[in-house]
Amino acid sequence: MVDIVVNGSTFNVEKRGRSNGEIELVVNGKPVVVNRVSSFAADSSTQLLRIGQRLLLCKVADQLSEDSIVTWINDKRLLVELSTGQEADSRERASLVNTGPISVEAPMAGRIVDVRVSLGKEVQEGQSLIILEAMKMENEIAAPRNGRVQEVYVHVGSVVKTGDKLLVLD
Amino acid sequence: MFRKILIANRGEIALRIMRTCRRLGVNTVAIYSEPDVTSKHVFYADEAYSIGPGEPSQSYLNIPKIVEVGRKSGAEGVHPGYGFLAESPSLAAAVEDAGMVFVGPRAKVLSRIASKLEAKKRVSENGVPTIPGSTKELESVEQAEQEAKRIGYPVLIKAAYGGGGRGMRVIQKPAELRRMIEIASTEAKSGFGRSGLYIEKYLDSPRHIEVQVLCGSRGKNLHLGERECSMQRRYQKILEETPSPVVTPDERRRLCRLALKAASTFGYENAGTVEFVRSKAGEYYYMELNKRIQVEHLITELVTRVDIVEQQLRISSGEGLGLSQDEIVPAGWAINCRINAEDPEMGFAPSPGRVTKYLAPTPQWVRVDTALYDGCNVPEFYDSLIAKLATYGSDRMRAIEWMRFALEEMIVEGVKTTIPVHKTIMYHPSFVKGEYHTQFLEKILSSWKPTSEVSLEEIAAAYLTAASALSQKLVEQTGRTGTTGWKGSLKSTESISKGPLYIEGL
């Protein structure tokens, strides 16, 4: 059983078995029988599948990482991520145990129009720290958790790029 | 007609203006800021000049620089597009002083309409209904309290020189007034350089309906019908359609007459848009006159078959408006979806960056105005509008149906966009019935999630494609048969080493 994330939505896929070139899958609890059209000759990144009366031309458009690709399924372009439940769990656990200083980074490029905290100040999770202007909009950057402001790297008027450190909470 | 004009803008609107120029044999001059050196409008122009760093104040708002490029390149006219300096009397004056023509109203006409409050007063004196409110800029909180009491709560505070919802606040009860005036005044000052405010009656669930006008010289004025612009988020239009689903033929005649009357109040020239609000009871009130070509002009072009930019150039070059009112016979229905580089799942946060993939939708009856291409850059300095996706139908439902297909086909990767929001709107029963107002979208968005229209068959196919591609990759990388790496669940491996994997790999 494996979780598959397609364009941001999660589906559950189970492989039941295979016989005479037929693959039996269970998608979100519903059986789906797939036949590969073997007479279809193409490169290794393309295959033709028949599911019921429907033909699906499946292409790998782009490989993004070890477990995510972009595919064309007929005229639909889908971002597909494969993952197992365990992986997400461990990621979640990792984020919980992280209690050291945390740096707050610019989520997008832009210009700092307000710095609402100063060195040494205690802040609450969700409290507004910095206002970043991008694309004519003002964006609030909030504290990811409670903490004390240890470093401030920017001032009003600073121009920042995505990922630039703005400040550090201890 | 002009031989050469400078387009004092960027991105999709610069490109759209240049297309009409190219068709008419008018040479084009582009200006660009440093981060825009790879913007499509730069490649499309006959000549292109760098005018400074990304900050708008140092490039697209730099009047002396723009005029200098215009003069140096031998341009006869300057088209400002929308946004930036589009309604700036200073640019118009500088262009005129340099011996060129501003494609829009002349500087003296623009200054006449610079204050929204002053304009409202004059229009009202000319017999066009306006929303009840103060006739002077507010001078004190006490005066605001008196005015608010006179017209009755809720009231709206507006910036006299503003636009786009900045410096605008709704006030439900007297206790909020003082604080809101302070906020609005600060916003107006920082946004528009002038803090002047005025007060108006606030209408509940109004519709925003506007009329496109074309005003030639010698008072030859005509209208191109209305546009419905009530689908908004925080006073920003998200989607427009024409005609409006609520305007009856009788109402339309009255509305368009009012629009022409408003325009003639100022001796208006060139293309303009008169914005009205329509109350629940069906009364129209003049809101403002926009002195430029607008973002959503394309839907009017689709139903009237008039090239508005061509008419702007004809009026400004002295050739004259090439149309009469009888020749304008709108037919069918058009809808425009604004595709913005914003992340609707993160409160519409801006999403600038590199567009790694762009595919234009190609169903019948589609028009896309955009400067997007594979690998283009969406700079963080400018407006988030990256494409306008419009469809045409012989009736409203057909236009909606084509839009559903078009949204499905349009691919923009690398930046987040508002495409998923438009998909939701296109299927929403109230929108399909044409029943919506300016507060409608925010109600939908309060509980919004993107919907996936992927069938189980497609999921199955996607899974098999991904699994074989990824496991094949693993073999290529490690030379192993994939027994270790593959996440437990995709274990069966015997044929992995045997070459082409397809789904046998599983």
Side-chain angles (χ1 to χ4, degrees):
Chain A
M1 193 108 83
V2 64
D3 274 346
I4 167 173
V5 182
V6 179
N7 285 2
S9 306
T10 306
F11 298 84
N12 187 268
V13 182
E14 191 185 343
K15 205 178 146 237
R16 275 286 165 75
R18 193 156 67 96
S19 56
N20 304 330
E22 257 187 18
I23 305 163
E24 263 181 70
L25 296 175
V26 179
V27 182
N28 279 6
K30 298 214 174 72
V32 180
V33 178
V34 185
N35 281 284
R36 189 167 70 82
V37 179
S38 51
S39 60
F40 178 77
D43 58 80
S44 64
S45 65
T46 308
Q47 56 185 328
L48 187 61
L49 303 179
R50 175 180 283 284
I51 300 176
Q53 301 308 307
R54 219 180 144 194
L55 276 173
L56 297 122
L57 183 66
C58 309
K59 277 188 243 184
V60 178
D62 198 6
Q63 169 132 14
L64 303 175
S65 72
E66 233 173 74
D67 52 9
S68 64
I69 65 166
V70 180
T71 66
W72 280 111
I73 305 297
N74 288 347
D75 57 354
K76 277 199 187 143
R77 192 168 161 98
L78 305 176
L79 169 63
V80 187
E81 298 155 277
L82 293 179
S83 69
T84 57
Q86 296 141 350
E87 207 187 36
D89 282 353
S90 63
R91 228 180 292 138
E92 222 164 85
R93 239 178 285 123
S95 74
L96 283 175
V97 294
N98 181 6
T99 54
I102 180 169
S103 63
V104 177
E105 295 171 352
M108 68 202 76
R111 198 168 56 89
I112 307 296
V113 294
D114 196 8
V115 179
R116 299 189 157 169
V117 290
S118 49
L119 275 181
K121 202 176 165 201
E122 294 285 344
V123 297
Q124 304 285 310
E125 181 179 334
Q127 185 180 332
S128 167
L129 302 174
I130 279 172
I131 305 292
L132 173 67
E133 189 188 75
M135 297 183 133
K136 304 200 302 195
M137 285 180 265
E138 293 191 348
N139 304 278
E140 205 172 63
I141 295 167
R145 60 169 164 77
N146 296 354
R148 204 168 51 86
V149 180
Q150 206 176 48
E151 299 277 359
V152 181
Y153 299 106
V154 291
H155 53 83
V156 172
S158 305
V159 174
V160 296
K161 296 192 299 293
T162 309
D164 279 1
K165 270 193 194 173
L166 304 177
L167 50 77
V168 174
L169 299 178
D170 70 2
Chain B
M1 184 49 67
F2 297 113
R3 272 172 297 141
K4 186 193 271 189
I5 66 163
L6 179 146
I7 292 92
N9 216 302
R10 64 178 298 282
E12 70 86 14
I13 190 63
L15 197 58
R16 186 260 166 274
I17 294 164
M18 288 177 194
R19 286 208 169 105
T20 289
C21 289
R22 192 179 273 192
R23 184 170 69 73
L24 298 174
V26 177
N27 285 327
T28 53
V29 180
I31 55 170
Y32 62 95
S33 67
E34 282 159 19
D36 263 347
V37 62
T38 57
S39 174
K40 198 167 174 180
H41 77 277
V42 177
F43 309 140
Y44 202 85
D46 297 306
E47 297 169 40
Y49 298 91
S50 166
I51 52 155
E55 280 285 330
S57 60
Q58 297 178 54
S59 46
Y60 297 109
L61 296 176
N62 185 340
I63 294 176
K65 193 87 201 205
I66 292 169
V67 172
E68 186 199 318
V69 170
R71 208 175 348 200
K72 220 167 56 186
S73 64
E76 296 166 333
V78 174
H79 196 308
Y82 58 73
F84 296 123
L85 295 165
E87 300 179 65
S88 157
S90 319
L91 176 66
V95 166
E96 288 165 14
D97 290 347
M100 297 181 284
V101 179
F102 183 74
V103 183
R106 277 170 299 166
K108 64 172 188 191
V109 179
L110 283 172
S111 342
R112 252 178 243 159
I113 325 171
S115 161
K116 283 192 185 187
L117 181 59
E118 188 57 32
K120 183 182 160 188
K121 203 165 97 189
R122 292 188 54 180
V123 164
S124 168
E125 284 163 6
N126 199 18
V128 179
T130 57
I131 301 172
S134 54
T135 49
K136 283 189 298 195
E137 281 184 31
L138 297 174
E139 278 156 8
S140 65
V141 177
E142 290 67 39
Q143 188 206 346
E145 278 166 352
Q146 276 175 17
E147 287 286 326
K149 206 169 148 193
R150 182 175 65 83
I151 57 181
Y153 287 89
V155 295
L156 194 62
I157 298 282
K158 277 178 154 179
Y161 298 90
R166 263 187 145 181
M168 192 141 98
R169 283 291 182 285
V170 181
I171 294 147
Q172 300 289 348
K173 42 184 187 290
E176 299 168 350
L177 195 62
R178 181 176 292 270
R179 202 171 64 85
M180 288 302 185
I181 283 180
E182 278 165 19
I183 297 176
S185 159
T186 314
E187 265 186 26
K189 179 87 182 138
S190 78
F192 316 112
R194 295 174 86 163
S195 58
L197 299 174
Y198 63 102
I199 197 165
E200 249 177 31
K201 176 81 188 145
Y202 175 72
L203 300 176
D204 183 40
S205 310
R207 280 185 175 247
H208 173 136
I209 296 171
E210 61 187 26
V211 177
Q212 175 75 55
V213 297
L214 284 175
C215 301
S217 48
R218 294 178 292 279
K220 184 182 175 189
N221 296 352
L222 38 94
H223 70 81
L224 301 181
E226 84 279 8
R227 289 187 290 257
E228 166 73 61
C229 307
S230 301
M231 197 62 83
Q232 302 186 351
R233 181 181 169 271
R234 299 195 178 166
Y235 308 111
Q236 300 282 341
K237 296 166 190 167
I238 293 281
L239 172 158
E240 301 91 358
E241 59 178 308
T242 184
S244 162
V246 292
V247 175
T248 62
D250 272 355
E251 239 176 274
R252 180 168 300 116
R253 269 190 291 276
R254 199 161 58 84
L255 178 66
C256 293
R257 230 184 357 246
L258 286 177
L260 290 175
K261 202 167 179 184
S264 67
T265 308
F266 308 104
Y268 191 75
E269 308 166 326
N270 214 289
T273 296
V274 189
E275 297 192 334
F276 292 88
V277 280
R278 181 185 189 272
S279 71
K280 270 183 185 165
E283 293 147 332
Y284 287 90
Y285 301 100
Y286 164 91
M287 201 158 48
E288 62 181 289
L289 170 56
N290 291 324
K291 309 165 278 288
R292 57 169 190 268
I293 188 154
Q294 283 194 250
V295 171
E296 60 272 25
H297 75 277
L298 79 172
I299 54 173
T300 298
E301 295 188 327
L302 287 171
V303 298
T304 60
R305 304 164 304 282
V306 171
D307 182 337
I308 294 173
V309 171
E310 176 185 349
Q311 296 304 326
Q312 286 192 293
L313 295 172
R314 289 184 62 116
I315 295 167
S316 289
S317 66
E319 199 168 310
L321 198 50
L323 283 168
S324 64
Q325 191 69 59
D326 315 338
E327 291 172 85
I328 299 161
V329 187
W333 213 285
I335 301 176
N336 175 51
C337 289
R338 295 191 185 200
I339 313 298
N340 295 342
E342 292 170 14
D343 186 352
E345 290 184 75
M346 298 288 285
F348 290 79
S351 181
R354 188 158 300 281
V355 174
T356 51
K357 185 84 191 167
Y358 167 63
L359 282 175
T362 54
Q364 301 90 312
W365 310 107
V366 172
R367 169 171 167 184
V368 191
D369 279 18
T370 186
L372 287 177
Y373 62 88
D374 265 13
C376 75
N377 183 38
V378 178
E380 70 271 19
F381 298 103
Y382 314 115
D383 196 273
S384 61
L385 181 81
I386 51 171
K388 299 182 303 204
L389 172 57
T391 56
Y392 177 83
S394 53
D395 58 29
R396 187 166 185 270
M397 201 55 220
R398 284 184 172 86
I400 292 175
E401 285 160 358
W402 289 121
M403 185 60 83
R404 290 173 179 168
F405 290 149
L407 288 165
E408 210 53 61
E409 279 192 22
M410 184 165 184
I411 304 285
V412 182
E413 289 172 6
V415 300
K416 301 280 185 186
T417 76
T418 48
I419 292 173
V421 174
H422 286 297
K423 286 182 185 170
T424 303
I425 296 171
M426 285 303 133
Y427 287 94
H428 195 286
S430 299
F431 174 75
V432 171
K433 276 187 272 176
E435 292 166 3
Y436 61 99
H437 50 73
T438 53
Q439 279 124 48
F440 173 82
L441 186 58
E442 300 198 27
K443 278 178 195 150
I444 297 185
L445 289 173
S446 62
S447 61
W448 179 80
K449 267 209 204 98
T451 50
S452 169
E453 284 141 60
V454 189
S455 68
L456 292 184
E457 287 84 9
E458 286 158 349
I459 297 296
Y463 165 72
L464 293 172
T465 309
S468 66
L470 294 170
S471 59
Q472 180 177 32
K473 190 81 179 180
L474 197 75
V475 175
E476 282 167 7
Q477 278 170 358
T478 62
R480 284 195 307 239
T481 52
T483 43
T484 48
W486 247 121
K487 318 241 158 114
S489 52
L490 304 170
K491 245 183 271 165
S492 153
T493 54
E494 271 162 53
S495 56
I496 281 194
S497 55
K498 289 180 191 159
L501 286 162
Y502 302 109
I503 44 185
E504 283 94 347
L506 304 169

